[in-house]
Amino acid sequence: MTEAVKPEREKFGTLAGVFTPTVLTILGVIMFIRQPWVVGNAGVIGAAAIVLLAVTITLTTALSLSTITTNVRIGAGGAFSLISQSLGLEIGGAIGIPFYFSQAIAVAMYVFGFREGLATIFPDASAVVMDAGIFALVMAIAFISTSFAFKIQYVILGVIAASLVCIFGALFTNELNTSFEWFGTYPGSPENGLSGSSFWVVFAVFFPAVTGVMAGANMSGDLTNPRTSIPRGTISAVILTTIIYLLLCVVAALLASPQELVSNYNVFIEKSLFPPLVLAGLLGATLSSALGSFVGAPRILLALGQKNILPRSDLLSATSARGEPNNAMFITALVVVLGLSMRSLNAIAPLITMFFMITYAMVNIVALIEQGLALPSFRPSLRISIFVPLVGAVGSLTVMFIINAFVALMSLVLIVVFYFFLVKKHIPSVAGDSRSGLFTSLAEWATKKTNDLSPKREARAWRPDLLVPVTAPRDIRNSFKLIESIVRPKGSIKLLAVPENDREEEERLMNFLPDVVRKFREINIPISSTRIQGDDVVQSLGISMQALNAAFFKPNTLFISMDSDTQRTMKYDPIVKLAAAYHYGVAVYAPFANTGLAMENNITLWITNLPANWKDTFDIGNNDLAILLTLLIAKNWGGNIRMIIVNTPGEEPIVPDDAEKLREIVRLPRDTVMEVVTGPLLDVVPKAKLADLNVFSLQADSTLQSIAAIAQQTRISALFCADSGNESALV
């Protein structure tokens, strides 16, 4: 029995899928009943300036949208898909969730607008009944099929075109006002008793008229060729509607006086050639906007579900046999009903506008980032100046705060809340995004600036970046906790796997390293690993250290973990000498097998060969790295430090006052215990109080075999440190 083939859903071209819904969303209710009021307040030139300023923001957004869509394979969800592909699913979802609710609740706004127009014909009809009937009509058209909805929009587009003919035709049937104002006096509106207004208040009223540039992009998953259709359809729709709005500024000024324009919202209807047809255009505009939003919003919800961003994403991402997102449409219908139940959307309407504006800003920011990175992968068919997305992003954010600063701020806060919610979900991303390129560019910029300031790494900027050679799993097992205590929270680790000539041991090592890397990453420690191929361990490590010296973000400290194998220990002696030659610090860990790091609390720091004139030269000899690592380990342990200064017989002694001075300059913790002892190191160490870790300076004549002997003799694990010359405990 053959499996039924699911029919492929119908796809749409530029005219049906982008141009028509974009034009119908822009030529909405504001054009019919608020455009004359804008001219009455601002005058012809002022109104034209408002139109052009508003269109500048939306046109730059349309151009940014277009240049991105000609460069990527855009998926379902329009702006959500674009933002996610560039900045990641977390930011895309943080924008996409409120953008979806804006699109859905906007349907309720358009239903209210349709009802206001219908009330002029049926003044006694119940508002609730009319709202329910209008929304039922919108739902019925949308659920029949998206194709049917788009065919209905052709009819509505024809009605709106005929209504515009009636409005322009009014110039031939009315006595024209030739004394119109070029610059208005902003008298206000009937609602505020014509007590005055301002340019920005009028701009805020008009701006929602042009916020339909995403209408076509929201249908990206249903377009035959979104890469071509979205740019062509969106830009041509914006240009056409801008011309219409500019012409209507002149028509309004010619049809009525400024006083009449600000006091009568129905000038275009009453003075037209055939008022019923203009009223039909008003109804058609609001119906088409409601229909476009109700068709587009479920597509955004569908895309959010496909990326597993929302709860029950499997339900949201399901489609019917014809490819329609019925589940998403039902949920959207519930959101619309919630909006309708409020009866007045004046309180949340500004929030809806804000989410549109944030989406526009983010689209421009994405285009700005993509262009600014100048990666080879950014090869759009439509190229624009980098100033276009810059103007769009700044303009969108500025307009938000002009309209309502408080609501704008609250909208941004809500976006941030959504973002951190999605970050905690750890959403898996199938495709890559531009974030790695962005952070790489920032790192390159920071590197260049650092090199300009100081080609040599400053001691003040030192942090523990460890180079850890690993020949066998035991090298890391012995030292995992100590390495963590050294590099947390700002250090890093580079593991060099240098397997010895033992195929079985090599296989165990290469299987073991991924687990180690994962463990360090789970505790947020940056780590990378690589395998070094070579027959000689010493030679391989020497070449690796030389090669890493050419990198800016290079390790600065060689970390070696010892064990009881004398043969392996002797092999590392030449490596320690090479590290000094290549300006690496050295930290050799000699664990005492029976105790390890014991209670991880008490650390004894042994200061040896302290120069007699250190207070004048601020040179404390080969003790800087030992002090720095002791401070880091004690901080991560929450432990106690005992500093013991060893006076070598025959040299000028260090007195207790000098020890206190050293503690003050190094800025050791207040509870640090200071001691001064005299005698050979090997004689005084066994007499000291017990600790969980001894930290020593590594002397030039020390061998790793002699180091191991100290740990065995004291029965306390030890860390031996040699300075590279690039660190200082006194800065």
mmCIF file of all heavy atoms in Angstrom, residues 324-338:
data_model
loop_
_atom_site.group_PDB
_atom_site.id
_atom_site.type_symbol
_atom_site.label_atom_id
_atom_site.label_comp_id
_atom_site.label_asym_id
_atom_site.label_seq_id
_atom_site.Cartn_x
_atom_site.Cartn_y
_atom_site.Cartn_z
ATOM 1 N N GLU A 324 -1.575 24.759 5.096
ATOM 2 C CA GLU A 324 -1.998 25.939 5.849
ATOM 3 C C GLU A 324 -1.706 25.738 7.340
ATOM 4 O O GLU A 324 -1.958 24.662 7.892
ATOM 5 C CB GLU A 324 -3.503 26.183 5.661
ATOM 6 C CG GLU A 324 -3.919 26.477 4.228
ATOM 7 C CD GLU A 324 -3.499 27.859 3.775
ATOM 8 O OE1 GLU A 324 -3.164 28.695 4.646
ATOM 9 O OE2 GLU A 324 -3.505 28.118 2.563
ATOM 10 N N PRO A 325 -1.205 26.771 8.028
ATOM 11 C CA PRO A 325 -0.916 26.653 9.464
ATOM 12 C C PRO A 325 -2.175 26.821 10.316
ATOM 13 O O PRO A 325 -2.337 27.808 11.046
ATOM 14 C CB PRO A 325 0.076 27.795 9.696
ATOM 15 C CG PRO A 325 -0.312 28.834 8.705
ATOM 16 C CD PRO A 325 -0.798 28.086 7.485
ATOM 17 N N ASN A 326 -3.080 25.851 10.226
ATOM 18 C CA ASN A 326 -4.381 25.996 10.888
ATOM 19 C C ASN A 326 -4.259 26.156 12.405
ATOM 20 O O ASN A 326 -4.984 26.955 13.011
ATOM 21 C CB ASN A 326 -5.266 24.792 10.556
ATOM 22 C CG ASN A 326 -5.801 24.851 9.128
ATOM 23 O OD1 ASN A 326 -5.734 25.901 8.485
ATOM 24 N ND2 ASN A 326 -6.323 23.747 8.633
ATOM 25 N N ASN A 327 -3.378 25.382 13.036
ATOM 26 C CA ASN A 327 -3.221 25.505 14.487
ATOM 27 C C ASN A 327 -2.770 26.908 14.875
ATOM 28 O O ASN A 327 -3.283 27.515 15.825
ATOM 29 C CB ASN A 327 -2.208 24.477 15.001
ATOM 30 C CG ASN A 327 -2.736 23.052 14.913
ATOM 31 O OD1 ASN A 327 -3.937 22.840 14.730
ATOM 32 N ND2 ASN A 327 -1.850 22.083 15.045
ATOM 33 N N ALA A 328 -1.798 27.423 14.140
ATOM 34 C CA ALA A 328 -1.311 28.780 14.412
ATOM 35 C C ALA A 328 -2.409 29.804 14.166
ATOM 36 O O ALA A 328 -2.501 30.819 14.871
ATOM 37 C CB ALA A 328 -0.087 29.079 13.549
ATOM 38 N N MET A 329 -3.275 29.540 13.190
ATOM 39 C CA MET A 329 -4.370 30.469 12.894
ATOM 40 C C MET A 329 -5.414 30.460 14.014
ATOM 41 O O MET A 329 -5.949 31.515 14.388
ATOM 42 C CB MET A 329 -4.998 30.121 11.546
ATOM 43 C CG MET A 329 -4.072 30.381 10.360
ATOM 44 S SD MET A 329 -4.758 29.852 8.772
ATOM 45 C CE MET A 329 -5.943 31.147 8.457
ATOM 46 N N PHE A 330 -5.709 29.274 14.561
ATOM 47 C CA PHE A 330 -6.658 29.200 15.678
ATOM 48 C C PHE A 330 -6.129 29.947 16.900
ATOM 49 O O PHE A 330 -6.866 30.677 17.571
ATOM 50 C CB PHE A 330 -6.943 27.735 16.035
ATOM 51 C CG PHE A 330 -7.971 27.080 15.157
ATOM 52 C CD1 PHE A 330 -7.638 25.979 14.382
ATOM 53 C CD2 PHE A 330 -9.282 27.567 15.102
ATOM 54 C CE1 PHE A 330 -8.576 25.375 13.564
ATOM 55 C CE2 PHE A 330 -10.233 26.963 14.286
ATOM 56 C CZ PHE A 330 -9.880 25.869 13.515
ATOM 57 N N ILE A 331 -4.841 29.758 17.193
ATOM 58 C CA ILE A 331 -4.252 30.464 18.342
ATOM 59 C C ILE A 331 -4.248 31.963 18.099
ATOM 60 O O ILE A 331 -4.532 32.766 18.999
ATOM 61 C CB ILE A 331 -2.831 29.934 18.606
ATOM 62 C CG1 ILE A 331 -2.915 28.477 19.076
ATOM 63 C CG2 ILE A 331 -2.102 30.797 19.640
ATOM 64 C CD1 ILE A 331 -1.591 27.788 19.207
ATOM 65 N N THR A 332 -3.956 32.369 16.865
ATOM 66 C CA THR A 332 -3.992 33.796 16.525
ATOM 67 C C THR A 332 -5.398 34.351 16.688
ATOM 68 O O THR A 332 -5.582 35.487 17.160
ATOM 69 C CB THR A 332 -3.499 34.002 15.077
ATOM 70 O OG1 THR A 332 -2.171 33.488 14.957
ATOM 71 C CG2 THR A 332 -3.504 35.483 14.709
ATOM 72 N N ALA A 333 -6.400 33.556 16.322
ATOM 73 C CA ALA A 333 -7.786 33.996 16.491
ATOM 74 C C ALA A 333 -8.098 34.253 17.965
ATOM 75 O O ALA A 333 -8.789 35.225 18.303
ATOM 76 C CB ALA A 333 -8.741 32.945 15.923
ATOM 77 N N LEU A 334 -7.585 33.403 18.857
ATOM 78 C CA LEU A 334 -7.800 33.616 20.290
ATOM 79 C C LEU A 334 -7.145 34.917 20.760
ATOM 80 O O LEU A 334 -7.705 35.649 21.582
ATOM 81 C CB LEU A 334 -7.233 32.435 21.084
ATOM 82 C CG LEU A 334 -7.933 31.083 20.880
ATOM 83 C CD1 LEU A 334 -7.208 29.986 21.661
ATOM 84 C CD2 LEU A 334 -9.399 31.166 21.322
ATOM 85 N N VAL A 335 -5.943 35.208 20.236
ATOM 86 C CA VAL A 335 -5.261 36.460 20.591
ATOM 87 C C VAL A 335 -6.084 37.659 20.111
ATOM 88 O O VAL A 335 -6.229 38.660 20.827
ATOM 89 C CB VAL A 335 -3.841 36.495 19.992
ATOM 90 C CG1 VAL A 335 -3.169 37.846 20.266
ATOM 91 C CG2 VAL A 335 -2.992 35.361 20.551
ATOM 92 N N VAL A 336 -6.633 37.558 18.901
ATOM 93 C CA VAL A 336 -7.453 38.650 18.364
ATOM 94 C C VAL A 336 -8.706 38.845 19.215
ATOM 95 O O VAL A 336 -9.095 39.981 19.525
ATOM 96 C CB VAL A 336 -7.836 38.374 16.895
ATOM 97 C CG1 VAL A 336 -8.779 39.462 16.374
ATOM 98 C CG2 VAL A 336 -6.585 38.299 16.024
ATOM 99 N N VAL A 337 -9.349 37.744 19.594
ATOM 100 C CA VAL A 337 -10.548 37.839 20.441
ATOM 101 C C VAL A 337 -10.204 38.511 21.766
ATOM 102 O O VAL A 337 -10.980 39.322 22.289
ATOM 103 C CB VAL A 337 -11.149 36.431 20.675
ATOM 104 C CG1 VAL A 337 -12.230 36.490 21.751
ATOM 105 C CG2 VAL A 337 -11.716 35.885 19.374
ATOM 106 N N LEU A 338 -9.029 38.195 22.311
ATOM 107 C CA LEU A 338 -8.585 38.850 23.533
ATOM 108 C C LEU A 338 -8.469 40.360 23.320
ATOM 109 O O LEU A 338 -8.892 41.158 24.167
ATOM 110 C CB LEU A 338 -7.244 38.274 23.975
ATOM 111 C CG LEU A 338 -6.616 38.893 25.232
ATOM 112 C CD1 LEU A 338 -7.507 38.626 26.449
ATOM 113 C CD2 LEU A 338 -5.219 38.341 25.467
#
